[in-house]
Every structure is written in structure tokens, then in C-alpha cells.
Amino acid sequence: MCGIAGTYLWPGGGALTDRLTDTLAHRGPDGAGRYAHRAGAGEVHLGHRRLSIIDLSETGAQPMVSGGLAITYNGELYNAPELRRELSSAGVRFRGSSDTEVVLEAWRRWGTDCLPRLRGMFAFGVFDERTGELTLVRDQLGIKPLFVVRRGSATVFSSELKAIASEVDGLTVDDGALVASLLYYWVPDQRCAYREAEKLRPGTWLRLRPDGSSERGKYWDIREVAEQARHLPPLDLDEVVAESTRRHLLSDVPVATFLSGGLDSSYLTALAARYQPGISAYTIGFRSEDAKFEAMPDDLRYARIVAERYGVDLHEIEIAPRVLDLLPKMTYHLDEPIGDPAAINTYLICTAAREAGVKVMLSGMGADELFAGYRKHFANLLARRYQRVPGMVRRPIGTVVDRLPVATARRGYRSVRFAKRFLSFAELPEETAFRRSYTMYDRAELLDLVDPDLAETVDDVLTEHADTYHDNALTDHVNRMCLADARLFLPGLNLAYTDRSSMAASTEVRVPFVDVEVVKAAFRIPGRQKIAGRQGKAALKQAATSILPREIIYRPKGLFSAPLRAWMSRDLAPLVREVVDDGLLVRSGFLRQDALQRLVAEDAAGQQDRSKHLWHVLTLEYWYRAATDRVSAAPVPGGHSG
């Protein structure tokens, strides 16, 4: 796991690549390197920061150059041993044991045809000295990031957007990305926070040629995988997950796990302990008053049960963070406005693990998206049934729930929050209901919140969600939701914050559920086996019975989140007032002060839970301040600049 950067036909590209690479130092504190070569009338420069995981010797150093090919690579290849054997049998001689060398030799032998054969997480740039072509590649599921800016025939790329934004002049904040961020509380992969930048899409490659031309290709498409898988019989899911977990333990340094005590992390930890007895695990807890106010489940108790049962060395971390200090720091590291406080948890856990000498951790990320484990999945099925209830019955229910408080001065009421959330989308059409079940605002609320001149942009963002949701031939409601999550929610939020917050702590997080073989198996399972009765993730729970006790499998669902209501009402209340009264987003005209004041009043009265909304406004404000300090932006619609 590393940080990569580079330039192609970019004036002053060598010095720029060095500066980009320096900005990525936290992603790779174990080494640095740069490669340069002529490319047509210009030059290519590849930069690299190394976090040594496999082949700790100099034979694993990068950029790696061999036989006219050069590569800068960020990732891990879990089927490297098999590919190495195949290439060796064909006469390839390897200098070391790194997976980077396997990728390089696979590229030499098969070109882009090697890409569907790579099983892992990766983003890389490979340069062919013979043709002068540079090809940029991103993994199938978008686990690893790659940002690109192109100007004519010149290109700059980096693992992190902040590196480019701090060094490349003339970038402008994209209003559409900020609107999307308000809607989702993250920026989806098809958008980027700066207009001139893009995220290379999952499962694609971009080839740059010395004559200034370029070519794009797609080598893997999760929509096609899901559509094909539905016609195939289910696999033994326990075998698939166990095999993926075993492969994800491949490392020359210690590996640990996240352990929340929930199904996903417990399942992976139990499997990992089977292959690596005595493995370490890290879990978090919160100040008791915060957890009570948030009505959070006692995850620590379940984590201790798992650790004791499987001989795991459990490290418990109590989170009582100085959120006023962490907020700007996390905003910087997250690159784009991402309003999920789980990023703080990931950062603090990874920091503790790194201080203990751990560089690699396994996470249960992805299981909820692929196997329908979120409350929203069951709630959307329930909404279809609710719509069949006569209106004369539904209306009084809505009136009663609307009057209930979500919190008092001493505690919050999760069940009331869930009921209010459910009724906000229960009567809507399928795609609209699904969007509303996990996003921050409906169309009217979003239009009320932002500059009126951005109405068309709001509609564009909503249309993008609808287009993505409907872009498949699946006939199964549950799997339609899972596919939408795998294309939007997973790469846009969960994988994004996991990569950026873990790498901020110089730690690699691996995600065995976000694996091409697990994905194929997941979409072979019909929706009725993913949600059975009131049980979400039913198929995965059944698979886990081979190793986990029922009290872990069927415990109440935990939350890898944070006590937001407690933070907002105590630690962050003065900052909220400052941002609403005199924040840059309000002064620029992007956000409307009266709408923000209503959010604050509703939250303070305890009638609506607006803590997540307000937290994201804070993250957006801090990001926007840094962005406007960093770049000289052109005017944007509505008179505000970014």
C-alpha cells in the first residue's frame, strides 16, 4: 500500500511530481522514488511513496523499472502467488517477491488483458518506454483512489486530490459536487470536488499517447457481473468468504482486524484467527454519557466475547476525541467534503494500531452493501407493504410519529428517529424512496438550502442517482438496492473514507468482502435469501453459523459511527453557531442562512434529529475554507466562488 503520483507531457513535470509525492508522505513513510523518461516531445515522471508490506527489501522499491516498462503501483494483489507461478512457468524470471513485479510482468505478457485477472485492490500507472504510452488503471470495485487532471495533451495524477489541488493552479470548486455532497454527505465517484479533476472510474483504464491522443477502456463492470450472476446457482458462501479472508492475510508484516462485535467484523476476525492464531484486533468504545445520550448498543461486550472465544489479542480504545481539533485535520485528509464521523473512528483505530507496530488491518466493510444488511434495505421492502395500508390508517400514524421527540435533555430515542426517517420515504416510488432512505434531504429541502440559481444542478444530481439505480436488468428489488449501493454508496463513501483516514495514519486497511469473487457470489443469492422475514443479511448470517455463536450472529445491529448528538449539543455547539451566523458558505451565498437556522432550531427542540446534517455542514464549511484558500477560483453560478 502506497501513494502514487506523476505527470505526463506536463511542463516542469519533474519538480511537480516531487512536490506531489512529498504531499503523499503519510501514505508511504518507508521509502520514496521517482522515475523520468522521454515521451515523444515531452517527458513522463512517476513518483512513489512506499508503505512496505510485501517484499520489504529493495527489490520491492518503486517506481519499478524492468525491460522497458516502468510502474508506480498502489495496492495489494491477493492472487499474486498463482500469477507468479503461471508467469514463471512461461519463462519469466523474477528478481524479488513483491506483487508489484507480478503486475509488471503480467502487463508485459498480456497488456490490458491482464486486468480482469488481477484480484486485489490497486491503482497504478505503467509506462512503456518503447511506445511512449502511459496507462493509468483503477481496481474493479474502486477500493483504491486515483485522481486525474488533464490539460490538452498534459496530464497529472495522484492518489490524493489534495496533492493536485495544492500544486496545480486554476482548479475551481464544482458546485455540482458540493450539491451532491449535501445530498449524500459524500461526493459520488462520477463527480469530483474540482471541475477540472476526475476520479478514474472503477474497473477502467486510461491510456495517454505522446501525440496528445488518449483512449479509455473498461475491463470489469459490476452491473454486468450482477446481471450474469443472477442466472447462476448460489455458491457455498462460507467457503467463498473464508477463502477471501485467507488471501487477504497475505503479508510480510503483522496483520490485525477491526472488531466491533458485529457480524461482519466478528466473522472476519474468527476466520482470521483460524489462519493466524493469536491475531490482534482493535475495537472502540465511547464515553458512557455520550453512548447513553445516543442510545448506542454496547458493542464492547460482544467484541470481548469474540476475542475470548477465538484467542484474539483485543485492544480497546475509548473515544473521547477532541473533535474541535480533529475536524479540520480529518477534513484535510478526506480530500473532499465527507460528513461521516466513522472516518474519525477509522483514523483513531489505525493510529493506535500503527503505534503498536501494526501496518495492515482487515475490515468488514462491504458486507452490508452486498448482502442487504442496512436498515434501509429492510425499510424499503417494508415501505412497499406500508403503501398497501389504507390511507385512513396511515395518516394518523404519521401525525402521531411527527409529534414524538427524538431526544430529551438526557437521552435520545433511536426508535423514534427511525420511525420519522421511515415515514419520510414510505409512500414514495421505489428509486425515490431508496434515495430518500439514506440521503440527507428531499428535493424541496435541498432546493431550500442552497442558492436558488442552483436548482438545475440539484435536478442534475437527483437524475444521476435515478439513472444509476435504473441502469440494470435485475428483477429483484433487494439486489437492485445492493447493486446501487455497490456502485454509489460503497466507492463514494465507505471505501473512500476508509482509504483516506487509514492512510492518514500510514496504515493499510483490507476489505475481504469487497472482493471480485465475493461480489460474484453475493449476486448469485436472490433477495429473498438476503432479507428473510425481518432478518437482513440472512444468507451471510447462515454462512457464519459455521464458526460464530448465535449470540453474535443475531445480536442487535451495531453502528460504526459516533455519538453525534452528544458532540453537536456539547463540544461543537459554539462552532455550529459560528458557521450558521457567519460561515463562508453562508457569506458566499452557496448556503441559505434561514434554512440552516431552521435545522438548528429543529435539532435543539428535539423534534427532529439534525445532528448528521449539521455535522456535514461543518465538514463542508471547513473543506470550503481550505479549498478557497488553496485555489484562485473563477466565478461560479449564483455569484459565489470556490
Side-chain angles (χ1 to χ4, degrees), residues 158-461:
S158 174
S159 295
E160 296 188 358
L161 183 59
K162 73 176 70 63
I164 296 175
S166 62
E167 298 295 341
V168 175
D169 294 333
L171 300 187
T172 53
V173 173
D174 178 44
D175 275 356
L178 298 195
V179 169
S181 174
L182 282 169
L183 176 69
Y184 295 109
Y185 60 95
W186 39 273
V187 180
D189 247 27
Q190 62 263 44
R191 289 189 175 269
C192 190
Y194 296 100
R195 293 177 185 170
E196 298 80 8
E198 66 168 299
K199 303 164 188 169
L200 194 64
R201 300 300 296 275
T204 70
W205 51 266
L206 169 64
R207 177 166 294 146
L208 307 168
R209 297 191 177 94
D211 64 2
S213 65
S214 63
E215 178 187 4
R216 294 179 185 266
K218 178 180 288 189
Y219 67 91
W220 202 88
D221 188 335
I222 192 171
R223 175 183 59 81
E224 294 178 0
V225 169
E227 290 176 348
Q228 294 164 6
R230 65 188 170 134
H231 300 298
L232 301 172
L235 298 172
D236 185 325
L237 188 56
D238 181 51
E239 287 186 6
V240 175
V241 174
E243 191 258 358
S244 178
T245 303
R246 178 181 60 79
R247 287 181 179 273
H248 280 70
L249 290 167
L250 180 68
S251 175
D252 292 334
V253 298
V255 179
T257 73
F258 287 84
L259 178 57
S260 69
L263 169 66
D264 311 329
S265 64
S266 298
Y267 193 6
L268 293 186
T269 299
L271 289 169
R274 175 192 291 173
Y275 303 118
Q276 289 191 12
I279 192 170
S280 294
Y282 289 77
T283 192
I284 56 172
F286 299 96
R287 293 176 298 194
S288 58
E289 64 269 27
D290 289 349
K292 181 178 180 181
F293 188 83
E294 198 73 15
M296 302 180 81
D298 184 9
D299 289 337
L300 278 176
R301 179 169 74 88
Y302 294 100
R304 291 167 183 155
I305 292 172
V306 172
E308 183 176 357
R309 184 180 181 104
Y310 300 102
V312 172
D313 181 17
L314 183 64
H315 302 261
E316 299 180 11
I317 306 164
E318 181 177 274
I319 292 187
R322 295 175 57 89
V323 288
L324 279 170
D325 296 333
L326 274 176
L327 183 57
K329 183 173 187 175
M330 292 309 302
T331 303
Y332 169 80
H333 280 296
L334 289 172
D335 268 355
E336 295 182 293
I338 296 177
D340 192 334
I344 291 178
N345 300 357
T346 299
Y347 173 74
L348 293 176
I349 288 176
C350 288
T351 298
R354 195 69 169 88
E355 290 172 352
V358 174
K359 288 184 179 181
V360 182
M361 300 192 71
L362 301 188
S363 164
M365 185 72 66
D368 283 316
E369 289 87 347
L370 295 170
F371 296 99
Y374 289 122
R375 291 184 182 89
K376 67 181 179 183
H377 296 130
F378 173 71
N380 274 273
L381 287 188
L382 187 63
R384 300 288 287 272
R385 301 175 203 161
Y386 182 76
Q387 290 174 11
R388 296 194 289 268
V389 174
M392 65 181 67
V393 177
R394 295 202 306 265
R395 282 189 291 274
I397 293 175
T399 301
V400 171
V401 170
D402 187 56
R403 292 174 178 170
L404 294 174
V406 297
T408 62
R410 293 181 175 271
R411 63 170 299 174
Y413 302 111
R414 294 177 72 200
S415 58
V416 177
R417 295 204 301 270
F418 295 152
K420 287 177 181 281
R421 184 71 164 164
F422 175 75
L423 290 178
S424 72
F425 63 83
E427 300 187 33
L428 299 174
E430 181 183 318
E431 178 272 327
T432 312
F434 182 67
R435 167 171 54 80
R436 189 67 191 95
S437 69
Y438 74 97
T439 54
M440 302 284 276
Y441 306 95
D442 63 24
R443 179 179 181 273
E445 290 170 333
L446 194 52
L447 288 171
D448 188 52
L449 183 62
V450 301
D451 188 313
D453 289 345
L454 293 172
E456 186 175 342
T457 304
V458 168
D459 286 335
D460 287 345
V461 169

Side-chain angles (χ1 to χ4, degrees), residues 43-101:
E43 294 180 333
V44 62
H45 296 270
L46 305 180
H48 192 267
R49 292 294 314 204
R50 186 182 185 194
L51 182 64
S52 303
I53 303 294
I54 295 176
D55 189 356
L56 310 185
S57 72
E58 280 304 303
T59 60
Q62 296 189 53
M64 186 176 288
V65 185
S66 174
L69 292 178
I71 188 171
T72 183
Y73 168 81
N74 167 32
E76 300 293 352
L77 188 63
Y78 305 122
N79 63 337
E82 292 93 328
L83 289 174
R84 179 183 293 272
R85 286 192 294 270
E86 182 177 351
L87 290 164
S88 295
S89 68
V92 175
R93 299 189 62 152
F94 289 91
R95 295 179 297 116
S97 59
S98 74
D99 58 336
T100 306
E101 193 175 6

Side-chain angles (χ1 to χ4, degrees), residues 7-11 39-45 132 151 153-155 209-212:
T7 58
Y8 186 75
L9 308 183
W10 194 282
E43 294 180 333
V44 62
H45 296 270
R151 285 187 177 161
S153 60
T155 300
R209 297 191 177 94
D211 64 2

